[in-house]
Amino acid sequence: MSFALFLPVLYLFFVILFSLIIYVFYPAISAASGQPEETKVKVISQPDNKTEKDDVILSMVIPAFNEEKRLPTMLDAATASLKNQRSKVIELAQGKTGITSTSRFEWIVVSDGSTDGTEAVFKQYVKDNKENGDVWKLVSLLSNAGKGAAVKAGMLEAQGALRLMVDADGATDFNALVSLLSQKEDIVFGSRAHLASKAQRSFIRTLLMHGFHFCVNFLVGTTIGDTQCGFKLFSQSAAQKIFGNLHLRRWAFDIEIVVLATRLNMRIHEVGVPWKEVEGSKLDSSKLQLAIVSFGMLRDMLCVRLCYTLGIWSVKHLIQEMDANKTD
């Protein structure tokens, strides 16, 4: 092959290579860009529900994108569950943290650039339920930044000694909170792994599920059976360290949580939880769209592995920042 013929081939090779590198590292590029229009936060608290720092034993962080229909149902089930077992939850939370000076709960809904009535529905819910003495907050992201960004904003806004991430769809039975609180670890993942053999899924969903688990084990090296369940409990220290370092903004952010926990020498305990399919899932779409999302999550996993391995991302222990917050 002459050089004249070889040159276009070489050019095409480098174009494809450059495009692949940009695609793989896009989450890192996006995180580095900051995109301030996506990450500005407006906090709305009920004026008669203000609380001092460290005056909350447990915070519930609920990411929500266009959840006006499912959010009230989820909140009804969650508040009813806490009402029925409030004493038990407080006892376990106080025993886990060693803090006995407070028994208050905090509810934080993070509207991830919702364009429907999610925020209005939550405000009305707070108006109708604020008599229970809990703290209610609405955090609004000005544009859709992704579930990871929403959870991060809520976790860093929370004041609880313990902080629960819970999805707005109500798919996980909120009574499972007791099981998570009963564990001694700083990070406890609710898990649906025990339900995998019983679940009825299409062939494409089953194939993608097994492919995803293989990629998680290969790229992340974790033995956790379910990294994606939207029911996770963190201590205050773990939440500040994990989410203070989090880069990924969208669906695969749970994978980075696992990577960060490993690098911070934090053990994750996994607990089986009751779970059911709920209509309206943001991932409940066509087979093509499901495949596109799955490939995007694979890209994010690869990006996380490369960024931490190559030193593009580093882990900050955030000890000084945490101490400063405690003295504010």
Side-chain angles (χ1 to χ4, degrees):
M1 180 183 292
S2 67
F3 181 76
L5 293 176
F6 179 71
L7 191 59
V9 175
L10 185 63
Y11 175 78
L12 180 61
F13 170 77
F14 280 111
V15 168
I16 294 174
L17 179 62
F18 179 75
S19 299
L20 183 60
I21 291 173
I22 293 296
Y23 176 74
V24 170
F25 285 98
Y26 176 77
I29 296 170
S30 177
S33 69
Q35 296 185 356
E37 72 279 5
E38 289 190 351
T39 56
K40 288 182 179 178
V41 177
K42 175 178 59 175
V43 180
I44 304 173
S45 299
Q46 292 299 315
D48 54 348
N49 262 330
K50 290 182 179 178
T51 182
E52 297 298 324
K53 288 187 177 181
D54 302 323
D55 194 31
V56 174
I57 191 68
L58 175 65
S59 297
M60 271 65 65
V61 176
I62 308 165
F65 173 63
N66 291 345
E67 293 286 3
E68 64 177 358
K69 295 181 178 179
R70 299 194 297 181
L71 182 60
T73 303
M74 175 268 167
L75 288 172
D76 280 340
T79 53
S81 172
L82 279 184
K83 182 178 180 180
N84 292 334
Q85 51 184 358
R86 193 176 187 96
S87 297
K88 181 66 173 177
V89 169
I90 292 172
E91 177 187 351
L92 288 172
Q94 291 181 339
K96 187 176 176 69
T97 62
I99 298 173
T100 59
S101 59
T102 180
S103 59
R104 300 188 79 181
F105 297 148
E106 178 182 52
W107 300 84
I108 301 177
V109 167
V110 185
S111 176
D112 184 19
S114 296
T115 56
D116 67 350
T118 296
E119 297 188 12
V121 164
F122 179 63
K123 289 177 183 178
Q124 184 60 47
Y125 194 92
V126 173
K127 183 178 180 180
D128 296 338
N129 292 274
K130 63 182 181 180
E131 292 81 4
N132 68 2
D134 291 347
V135 180
W136 300 85
K137 291 182 180 178
L138 172 64
V139 176
S140 299
L141 303 187
L142 302 186
S143 60
N144 179 244
K147 184 178 179 181
V151 174
K152 176 177 180 176
M155 283 289 177
L156 296 181
E157 175 60 34
Q159 301 298 331
L162 295 170
R163 301 172 189 187
L164 177 73
M165 179 194 106
V166 52
D167 283 350
D169 59 4
T172 303
D173 187 341
F174 206 84
N175 290 319
L177 174 60
V178 169
S179 298
L180 271 64
L181 288 170
S182 299
Q183 311 307 316
K184 64 180 181 179
E185 288 80 6
D186 282 347
I187 306 175
V188 186
F189 279 15
S191 174
R192 304 157 297 180
H194 64 294
L195 302 173
S197 61
K198 303 176 183 178
Q200 297 295 319
R201 294 184 176 91
S202 65
F203 173 76
I204 184 65
R205 282 180 178 269
T206 301
L207 181 64
L208 289 173
M209 178 191 72
H210 289 298
F212 178 78
H213 287 164
F214 172 80
C215 292
V216 169
N217 292 333
F218 179 73
L219 292 174
V220 181
T222 181
T223 57
I224 294 174
D226 183 7
T227 58
Q228 303 306 113
C229 182
F231 204 73
K232 295 179 171 71
L233 182 69
F234 302 84
S235 69
Q236 181 186 53
S237 174
Q240 289 176 322
K241 291 179 180 179
I242 294 290
F243 292 97
N245 278 292
L246 192 72
H247 298 87
L248 289 185
R249 297 178 175 185
R250 299 198 178 272
W251 295 106
F253 77 97
D254 306 81
I255 302 301
E256 190 180 359
I257 289 176
V258 175
V259 172
L260 285 168
T262 300
R263 289 178 171 266
L264 289 165
N265 295 318
M266 294 182 178
R267 183 170 179 265
I268 299 174
H269 190 87
E270 193 173 13
V271 176
V273 295
W275 183 90
K276 64 180 185 299
E277 271 303 341
V278 178
E279 291 184 3
S281 170
K282 300 300 181 294
L283 285 178
D284 187 13
S285 53
S286 67
K287 293 178 181 179
L288 177 60
Q289 186 62 31
L290 194 61
I292 291 174
V293 171
S294 298
F295 278 115
M297 293 181 73
L298 174 60
R299 184 270 313 274
D300 289 357
M301 279 188 277
L302 183 58
C303 178
V304 168
R305 176 66 181 267
L306 290 173
C307 282
Y308 282 110
T309 300
L310 297 175
I312 297 173
W313 291 345
S314 60
V315 178
K316 300 177 182 178
H317 287 261
L318 304 176
I319 295 175
Q320 294 179 347
E321 290 88 339
M322 289 164 53
D323 290 341
N325 287 338
K326 290 180 180 179
T327 58
D328 284 347

